[in-house]
Structures are given as C-alpha cells and as structure tokens.
Amino acid sequence: MLTSLCLVAVCHLASGTDIPEMPVWYTSKTPYPEPLYTVYPEPPAGFSLINIQHVARHGSRGLSSRDADDLLMQVWLQAQYEQALTPLGLQLGADLMEILRIHHDIGYGQLSGLGRTEHKAQAARLLERIVDASALEDLEREIHVIHSGRSRAIDSGTAFIDGWLQLRPQDESRFLEPVADEHTVYFHSAEGSEGYADYRRGERVQQVLSYYESLEQTEDVARAIVEALFTKDFIQRLDGGAYWFVALDDDSDVIESSFDVAMAVYDLFSIAINLTEEYAPDFLAYVPEETRMWLAFIDDADSFYGRGPGFADETISFELAGNLVSDMLARTNAVAQGESTEFATVRFTHAQALMPIAAWLEFPDAHQGADPAVPFSYENNPWRAARVAPMASNVQWDVFQNGDGEVLVRVLWNERIAPLGRGCEAYFEGFYRLEELNRCLGS
Ligand SMILES: O=P(O)(O)O[C@H]1[C@H](OP(=O)(O)O)[C@@H](OP(=O)(O)O)[C@H](O)[C@@H](O)[C@H]1OP(=O)(O)O
C-alpha cells in the first residue's frame, strides 16, 4: 500500500508541479532546473517501450552575439576617460574584462561547460527512465539525431550522445549521422517562415515593446542601474544623445540611453549564470534588488510576444511548431505500424522551437495569449520563460505498445508529466492513446 501511495505521491510531484523554485528574476537564460524526482507512472501490464521522440533546446551558453559585453565596455571606457565612474562602476570594468575574456575563449553563441553537463545528464536520466525496455537492447533499432544547424545545437547533441554512450557504449553504431532540419526544429528561420518574420519585426510587436519601454517604472529601473555606476553628468550626456555606442559585429546593436545600459547589464547577469563552469563573475551586484523583477518582466515580454503565446487573436508566434509535432507524430505512427525500425529520434534546437511547441501543445501556463487591448503582464499571465523554456528545456514522448497493437504515449515536458491541451483526452495521468494524439494533434 505504501509503495503505491508513495509512487502516486512522487508521480504527482513529477507531474510538472515540482518545478524547482528559481529566483523570480530569471528568464529565458535560466540554466536547466533538473527534476527533483525522476519516478514516473508506468503503462498498464503488457505494454513495452517501442520508441522515443525527443526535442530539446541547447544547453547553457555564452552570449548569442558580441553585444552586451562589447557595448558596455565601450560605455565604461568613455566613463573612465571622463572620470565619471562610481566605485561600483570602477569594479564593473574588471568584470567586463573577464566576461569578454571568457567569450574570447569559448566563442559567442557557443555551448558552455554547464550546457554540456545539462545534456549529458539528460541522456543519463532518460536511460534510467527506460532501463527495463527490451527495445533498448535491440541494437538494430537506430537512433536519429536532428539539429538546427547552429553550433550550440550540434554540440548539445554531441554532449547528449556522449552521456548516453558513457552508460551504453554498445549503442555507438545505433546513432545515425546528425542532420540539420530547419523545417521541423528551426521553423522560424526556415523557408515558409516569412509571415512569422514579418510579425516578429512588425509594428504590432514593436508597439507593445515600445509601450513597456515608455513606462515610468522602466525609466526608474534604468536610472537606478546607471546611477549606481556613473555620475549624473555622464548619464545626462548619455540620455541627451551625446554618445552612440555601436557593437563591433552588428551595427543594429547599440547603446544610446540609460535603458539600453540597463538591459545590457541584465543580459550580462543573465548569461553569467550560464557560465559557472567558466567561473564568470557574478553580475548580480550591478542589478539592484528593486530592479530585478521589472527587468525580468521586460525580457519575458520580448520572448512572450516574439516566440511564446503572443496575442490571443492570432497564432503566428507559435503556429509553425506544428511542423515539429507533425514529425514527432509521423515517426511514432511509422514505428507503431511496423514501417520504421527507429528506436528514437533526438532533436536539438533553440528557444525559438521550445517556446512555440509549449504554446502549440497548450502545456499548463505556456499557452495563454495576451488580450490585444491589455498587454502581457506578470499579473495577468502565468507565462514565464524560465519555466517554459530554460536552457536544455525539452519535450519527450515515451511510446509503448502491447501485443494487440494498442499504443500509449507518455508525454513529458522538462522531464515531468505534463497534460496536453488542444482537447486531448488522457488515457490516464501522463498517458495518451496514439489514436487520440492523431485526432487532437494531427493536421
Ligand atoms: O537575447 P538574445 O540575443 O540572447 O536572444 C537570442 C535567443 O536567446 P533567448 O533570448 O531566447 O534566450 C536565442 O535563442 P537560443 O535558444 O538559441 O538561446 C536566439 O537563437 C538568438 O537569435 C537570439 O534571439 P533573437 O530573437 O534573435 O533576439
């Protein structure tokens, strides 16, 4: 009795409600919160694992491009030249030098040591989850590897496979050559995504983001950050247009205001927590406590409209995730019908896929669009990038079949049981009949 109760209790905890708490000012660059429990509900007797469908964001990384570090260094050097640094501002210089050095060593947009660790550990937990599966021992059943084509995604796949082979070296020949497939895992950059690109850069999104930037609270937060670093005269010159700092690698990345400085400081804080294995300095000292929530909110709003649920009256910000779901369904059906010998397909991509698929599948708190007349806020919407798509976030389907050919799919989100939306009826908690998934998720 205790065992079954304990299992039920743990399963409930592993059902997506045991998300480890993290600082409320973490957003899309949150390192992966490993599940507190990895005990899952099992399928009924007679069902055995036949296939796994997996898609994950790359692991923790450095800055995606040379911007916040380079730009802030330019601002700092100008302030130093004008003797316009506060004592904290003086300290910032050494930390900027260190973060620039780290990026020189690992490269911009690259996986960090923590990122590799995250994916190696995910492979180990997946194997632990399916350890009794007889199909795992059928070395003729191949494993497909798909990525976005960008190095951090490719390297995440390599780390995942390394983690897998450390435990099962006999599987080396099962992993097929990794291939890039933008259509299914990088659909916002693939052919046919022009409508999304127009939306992402279009007036509707820019208007709502400009609205947030215009708010008095944004001004107050920016001032609190810059006044801790620079003299008032320097800040007045900065906001008066006296300077125009441009990123060396991309002239669209500029700092020309206190707001730009504040977001750059926040970006460095956000990325430093991805670089713990590189001993990156802690930028939290430069983000006063009273500013953190609002900066996180501004960052989340950009992700929410850019690749999350977006506006409630349209689906353009996430509808292309249907390409990925269709691929997962097609492969599952092919194996169930005996038309494919794949054991698993593992995919490695970006927030641009994991945020939209969470909205498309209508996972809890991941899909509520914003009323066009009432902009997204932390008060009116539960969406948080740190929970929806942290680094290495993932969706996994464990596919089971019995002797009668019936198929059940265990749906996991960030390695926890998660209920699907879109009217999908669960067979029981965490499990869906494949025919139900074809009905509620099929195109
Ligand atoms: O704010 P940055 O420039 O880091 O934004 C990145 C995206 O990172 P995110 O903001 O989603 O944390 C990055 O997604 P990732 O999953 O690869 O980390 C994306 O690839 C990169 O192009 C930037 O997105 P943007 O929409 O081009 O600003």
Side-chain angles (χ1 to χ4, degrees), residues 28-29 57-58 61 64 67 150 152 186 200-201 303 307 350-352 355 391:
S28 64
K29 294 166 187 68
R57 183 182 181 191
H58 57 77
R61 61 168 169 84
S64 57
D67 48 25
R150 293 177 78 175
R152 56 181 175 269
Y186 210 38
R200 181 82 166 83
R201 303 292 178 223
S303 298
R307 41 187 167 255
H350 302 264
Q352 286 95 320
M355 288 178 186
M391 295 296 179

Side-chain angles (χ1 to χ4, degrees), residues 62-63 68-70 72-73 92-106 108 267-269 271-273 275 278-283:
L63 288 172
D69 55 348
D70 166 36
L72 265 183
M73 192 77 233
L92 174 64
D95 289 339
L96 286 173
M97 288 299 290
E98 184 55 15
I99 205 83
L100 279 161
R101 181 197 64 76
I102 291 171
H103 281 89
H104 176 270
D105 290 353
I106 69 170
Y108 289 93
D267 284 349
L268 291 186
F269 151 72
I271 215 65
I273 56 179
L275 299 168
E278 290 74 20
Y279 306 103
D282 178 354
F283 278 74

Side-chain angles (χ1 to χ4, degrees), residues 63 65-78 92-93 95-101 103-104 108 244-255 260-261 264-265 267-268 271 283:
L63 288 172
S65 56
R66 180 174 176 167
D67 48 25
D69 55 348
D70 166 36
L71 285 164
L72 265 183
M73 192 77 233
Q74 293 181 43
V75 177
W76 188 86
L77 288 169
Q78 182 64 32
L92 174 64
D95 289 339
L96 286 173
M97 288 299 290
E98 184 55 15
I99 205 83
L100 279 161
R101 181 197 64 76
H103 281 89
H104 176 270
Y108 289 93
W244 191 53
F245 301 106
V246 185
L248 295 178
D249 296 349
D250 179 351
D251 58 15
S252 67
D253 274 327
V254 299
I255 282 185
D260 294 339
V261 169
V265 170
D267 284 349
L268 291 186
I271 215 65
F283 278 74

Side-chain angles (χ1 to χ4, degrees), residues 76-139:
W76 188 86
L77 288 169
Q78 182 64 32
Q80 185 198 43
Y81 172 71
E82 297 182 22
Q83 298 181 340
L85 292 166
T86 67
L88 185 67
L90 204 55
Q91 177 189 319
L92 174 64
D95 289 339
L96 286 173
M97 288 299 290
E98 184 55 15
I99 205 83
L100 279 161
R101 181 197 64 76
I102 291 171
H103 281 89
H104 176 270
D105 290 353
I106 69 170
Y108 289 93
Q110 301 308 312
L111 210 56
S112 66
L114 177 58
R116 286 181 178 77
T117 302
E118 288 161 339
H119 278 285
K120 282 186 176 178
Q122 267 187 28
R125 287 193 300 273
L126 185 157
L127 284 173
E128 182 188 350
R129 190 171 80 229
I130 65 168
V131 65
D132 299 330
S134 55
L136 183 59
E137 299 313 327
D138 178 352
L139 302 190

